[in-house]
Amino acid sequence: MIKVSGLIITYNEENNIERCINSMKQVCDEIIVIDSGSNDKTVEFARRCDAEVIYNKFSGHIEQKNFAVSKASFDYVLSLDADEELDDRLIKNIQALKESTLFDGVKFNRLTRYIDKWIYHCDWYPDTKLRLWKKELGAWGGENPHDIVEINPNSKVIHIDGHLLHYSYNSISEHISQTNHFTTIAAKAAYKNGTRSSLFKIFSRPLLKFLKDYFLRLGFLDGKYGFIICIINSLSALLKYAKIKELQEGKDL
């Protein structure tokens, strides 16, 4: 049977951390929490759940998650965000996989809860994620804050049933605030990597994003929250390209 290290990065996640750890404990042989200086009860609650807690100064989502991987004791790692948990079907399927070594990476679908509703459209679902892999074959990459696991091209990656449950926003205000925060990070990363903006992009990208998510991705089937999510998704595109334009003009974000 293979052994799996469970990894979580945290900052002020006292409302989520126990739920996340308790689901991971059913499939992981150790839980490691990398905390970047929480001033709430995150560390206390994590240790209460028998997780090992290590402090590391935050320098980016990708960097923090790769630091977590470097602390794993076992060959396979399962990396979740603190506001996620494994559902019962996913737990059973991962438990069954631990009897085999015939995989290098495992993908599963993520289902997001928005305020009080599970969202099945809006380009938010199935939101397939690779979160369980043989650590020597992959690492976190992408562009902050949108990190992804990049695994060697010849690796055997399988998809299993079950949901990674994501508890996202408790209010529309929280969603808008987080969108503003994340688009600043995204704009800086994109600008650093050579992306440039224009008035045309600032105008067109939000419109195209809304049309895609609300109509092509069937966001209208998620009712009023579907409309709100798609509007904020388009706002995210507007803010990102507007902020890139400000960086081009020499302004600080």
Side-chain angles (χ1 to χ4, degrees):
M1 177 182 288
I2 67 170
K3 290 190 173 183
V4 177
S5 297
L7 310 174
I8 313 166
I9 68 168
T10 58
Y11 178 73
N12 289 349
E13 293 285 357
E14 65 179 10
N15 294 327
N16 294 312
I17 189 64
E18 290 180 290
R19 179 182 60 222
C20 181
I21 291 175
N22 287 333
S23 76
M24 294 180 79
K25 284 170 72 172
Q26 299 183 65
V27 298
C28 295
D29 300 279
E30 68 173 357
I31 306 287
I32 299 173
V33 172
I34 306 299
D35 189 76
S36 53
S38 294
N39 50 35
D40 63 0
K41 295 184 178 181
T42 298
V43 171
E44 175 188 338
F45 290 172
R47 287 178 174 150
R48 188 166 71 188
C49 293
D50 299 320
E52 178 184 359
V53 180
I54 300 171
Y55 169 77
N56 191 57
K57 183 179 179 180
F58 187 83
S59 58
H61 292 82
I62 294 168
E63 294 80 3
Q64 194 78 335
K65 290 184 177 182
N66 279 327
F67 176 81
V69 172
S70 74
K71 297 300 179 181
S73 302
F74 303 119
D75 291 337
Y76 288 85
V77 294
L78 173 66
S79 180
L80 300 189
D81 293 335
D83 60 357
E84 297 172 337
E85 71 169 332
L86 311 169
D87 75 1
D88 291 341
R89 179 180 291 185
L90 192 51
I91 287 169
K92 289 179 181 178
N93 286 331
I94 293 175
Q95 288 172 339
L97 274 181
K98 291 183 69 177
E99 301 291 340
S100 168
T101 57
L102 300 178
F103 67 92
D104 299 317
V106 183
K107 291 182 177 181
F108 31 80
N109 295 340
R110 184 168 77 160
L111 179 61
T112 295
R113 188 171 181 83
Y114 187 80
I115 304 179
D116 57 1
K117 179 181 176 64
W118 295 106
I119 303 298
Y120 287 91
H121 307 92
C122 303
D123 208 26
W124 278 17
Y125 186 82
D127 194 22
T128 303
K129 302 293 185 184
L130 196 167
R131 295 293 190 82
L132 171 60
W133 73 97
K134 195 170 186 178
K135 68 179 182 181
E136 67 181 23
L137 297 178
W140 284 98
E143 188 175 276
N144 281 320
H146 304 295
D147 43 60
I148 58 171
V149 175
E150 297 175 343
I151 197 163
N152 290 2
N154 295 326
S155 301
K156 182 177 180 180
V157 178
I158 62 175
H159 187 285
I160 60 174
D161 288 335
H163 285 118
L164 177 61
L165 301 177
H166 177 216
Y167 298 85
S168 63
Y169 303 107
N170 294 315
S171 68
I172 296 169
S173 296
E174 182 183 341
H175 188 186
I176 293 172
S177 176
Q178 192 79 309
T179 296
N180 184 47
H181 173 65
F182 279 158
T183 52
T184 298
I185 298 172
K188 289 179 177 179
Y191 181 77
K192 182 179 179 181
N193 290 332
T195 299
R196 295 297 180 263
S197 184
S198 64
L199 291 178
F200 177 76
K201 288 182 178 180
I202 293 170
F203 173 78
S204 63
R205 296 300 172 88
L207 178 60
L208 291 173
K209 181 63 175 171
F210 178 80
L211 293 174
K212 174 188 173 185
D213 293 353
Y214 194 67
F215 293 106
L216 294 181
R217 300 301 186 189
L218 306 179
F220 61 88
L221 294 178
D222 285 311
K224 69 174 183 178
Y225 287 148
F227 179 76
I228 291 167
I229 288 168
C230 292
I231 286 289
I232 298 176
N233 287 352
S234 68
L235 172 64
S236 177
L238 185 151
L239 290 174
K240 177 182 175 180
Y241 283 94
K243 290 176 181 181
I244 292 173
K245 189 73 163 56
E246 286 190 321
L247 291 172
Q248 290 171 217
E249 296 167 354
K251 298 176 183 177
D252 292 328
L253 299 184

